[in-house]
């Protein structure tokens, strides 16, 4: 009887894993097709059925697009924008979420409700206002002007608030008894205890800033474009080389894949913590 139950469990797990693998391959289909096109110069991308796996491998597209564009310059621009965006977004979002989670004051829930309600406003609705604000501050064609409008995200505030609310109050009380200031308690006691939430926010902000496309085009000159915006140079007025576009896109997403692989453990912990909170 035990052997029969064990065999049933093994068979059920086998079918579950097979279905999950099929679903994963299906979800990865567009990305596999993109890699396939980037490795096959001259391939008709609109052929049916599409070539998910390359029939032959040729890195000519990668070499040509690297020579055509000054990739190192655009990658460096992207690194600066991403570093500023990730660092200050974590800092200011955590500072905003801390009093909403820890302090007891009248209207705290109303303030949080108003913040969350702004999430229904589409990002495109603020482009004109953001541009006028950045222009009045003299930050046009600066990296600061790119990252400033998105430094405090409501979603990040929500995630940090849930993480702070999961910390026992005894931690803050012990800091108060030792004479620590509120800022020191936040920096040295609270922040180290929400590393999973920090990793999740860092990953989301890394992806958002690394893939930032429209806003940098509005604010920056072409010499300061990040990589995602610079890939628009590969589109001609009447024609385009999709193999180059595919190769450039693959190069641009590789850092995101590596960052996610190194932070996926904290990512799962942070998301589960936010849901439980």
């Amino acid at each position: 009887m035990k052997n029969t139950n064990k065999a049933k469990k093994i068979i059920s797990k086998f079918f579950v894993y097979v279905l999950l693998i099929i679903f994963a391959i299906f979800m990865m289909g567009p990305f596999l097709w993109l890699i396939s096109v980037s490795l096959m110069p001259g391939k008709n991308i609109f052929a049916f059925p599409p070539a998910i796996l390359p029939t032959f491998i040729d890195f000519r597209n990668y070499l040509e697009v690297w020579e055509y564009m000054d990739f190192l310059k655009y990658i460096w621009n992207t690194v600066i924008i991403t570093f500023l965006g990730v660092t200050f977004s974590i800092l200011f979002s955590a500072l905003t979420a801390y009093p909403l989670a820890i302090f007891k004051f009248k209207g705290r829930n109303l303030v949080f409700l108003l913040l969350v309600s702004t999430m229904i406003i589409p990002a495109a609705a603020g482009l004109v206002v953001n541009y006028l604000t950045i222009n009045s501050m003299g930050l046009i064609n600066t990296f600061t002007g790119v990252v400033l409008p998105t430094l405090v995200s409501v979603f990040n505030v929500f995630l940090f608030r849930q993480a702070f609310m999961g910390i026992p109050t005894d931690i803050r009380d012990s800091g108060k008894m030792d004479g620590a200031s509120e800022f020191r308690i936040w920096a040295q006691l609270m922040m180290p205890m929400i590393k999973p939430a920090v990793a999740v926010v860092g990953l989301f902000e890394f992806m958002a800033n690394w893939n930032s496309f429209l806003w940098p085009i509005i604010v920056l000159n072409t010499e300061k474009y990040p990589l995602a915006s610079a890939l628009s140079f590969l589109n001609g007025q009447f024609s385009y080389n999709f193999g180059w576009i595919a190769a450039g896109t693959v190069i641009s997403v590789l850092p995101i894949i590596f960052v996610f692989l190194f932070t996926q453990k904290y990512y799962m912990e942070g998301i589960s913590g936010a849901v439980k909170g």
Side-chain angles (χ1 to χ4, degrees):
M1 188 67 179
K2 291 183 179 180
N3 293 333
T4 303
N5 292 334
K6 187 176 181 180
K8 289 181 178 180
K9 289 182 179 179
I10 294 175
I11 294 174
S12 63
K13 285 184 178 181
F14 173 78
F15 281 108
V16 168
Y17 279 109
V18 168
L19 291 175
L20 289 175
I21 291 173
I22 294 174
F23 182 73
I25 294 175
F26 175 77
M27 296 300 294
M28 291 176 61
F31 185 67
L32 294 176
W33 174 77
L34 190 71
I35 295 177
S36 177
V37 172
S38 70
L39 293 174
M40 293 189 295
K43 175 71 176 178
N44 183 8
I45 63 171
F46 300 109
F48 187 84
I52 300 299
L53 296 177
T55 55
F56 62 93
I57 296 178
D58 190 341
F59 292 95
R60 191 185 311 163
N61 281 328
Y62 291 91
L63 297 176
E64 290 177 351
V65 77
W66 189 274
E67 294 175 355
Y68 178 78
M69 293 177 57
D70 191 355
F71 255 86
L72 293 179
K73 178 181 68 176
Y74 295 122
I75 289 175
W76 178 244
N77 294 341
T78 310
V79 168
I80 295 175
I81 292 173
T82 303
F83 174 78
L84 293 175
V86 172
T87 303
F88 288 104
S89 182
I90 291 175
L91 177 64
F92 289 125
S93 296
L95 285 172
T96 304
Y98 181 71
L100 293 175
I102 303 300
F103 296 165
K104 306 294 183 181
F105 58 89
K106 188 176 181 180
R108 183 185 70 167
N109 293 333
L110 177 61
V111 172
F112 180 69
L113 180 62
L114 292 175
L115 282 175
V116 173
S117 64
T118 61
M119 295 180 68
I120 65 175
I121 302 175
L127 286 178
V128 175
V129 176
N130 289 336
Y131 179 82
L132 294 176
T133 303
I134 295 300
N135 187 38
S136 64
M137 297 174 66
L139 296 177
I140 295 296
N141 197 32
T142 64
F143 294 135
T144 304
V146 175
V147 301
L148 187 59
T150 57
L151 282 186
V152 180
S153 167
V154 177
F155 177 78
N156 295 344
V157 172
F158 167 78
L159 197 64
F160 278 133
R161 178 179 179 269
Q162 299 303 106
F164 283 131
M165 292 179 67
I167 299 176
T169 56
D170 296 341
I171 302 297
R172 179 170 176 263
D173 294 338
S174 63
K176 285 289 186 182
M177 293 179 62
D178 292 337
S181 64
E182 200 67 55
F183 181 79
R184 187 177 179 184
I185 293 174
W186 169 82
Q188 297 185 358
L189 294 180
M190 294 297 192
M191 289 300 291
M193 299 190 69
I194 61 168
K195 287 181 179 179
V198 173
V200 172
V201 172
L203 178 61
F204 284 160
E205 288 301 315
F206 180 89
M207 293 172 58
N209 286 278
W210 191 272
N211 291 325
S212 183
F213 173 75
L214 180 59
W215 181 244
I217 291 179
I218 297 174
V219 176
L220 300 176
N221 293 334
T222 56
E223 291 298 317
K224 291 187 177 181
Y225 274 4
L227 186 55
S229 301
L231 290 178
S232 62
F233 297 151
L234 299 178
N235 290 330
Q237 185 176 2
F238 301 105
S239 63
Y240 60 89
N241 188 328
F242 196 85
W244 285 14
I245 297 175
T249 304
V250 171
I251 294 174
S252 68
V253 301
L254 285 179
I256 297 177
I257 296 175
F258 289 134
V259 170
F260 179 78
L261 291 176
F262 284 111
T263 60
Q264 59 178 332
K265 176 183 177 182
Y266 292 110
Y267 173 80
M268 298 304 298
E269 293 178 3
I271 290 295
S272 62
V275 173
K276 289 179 182 178

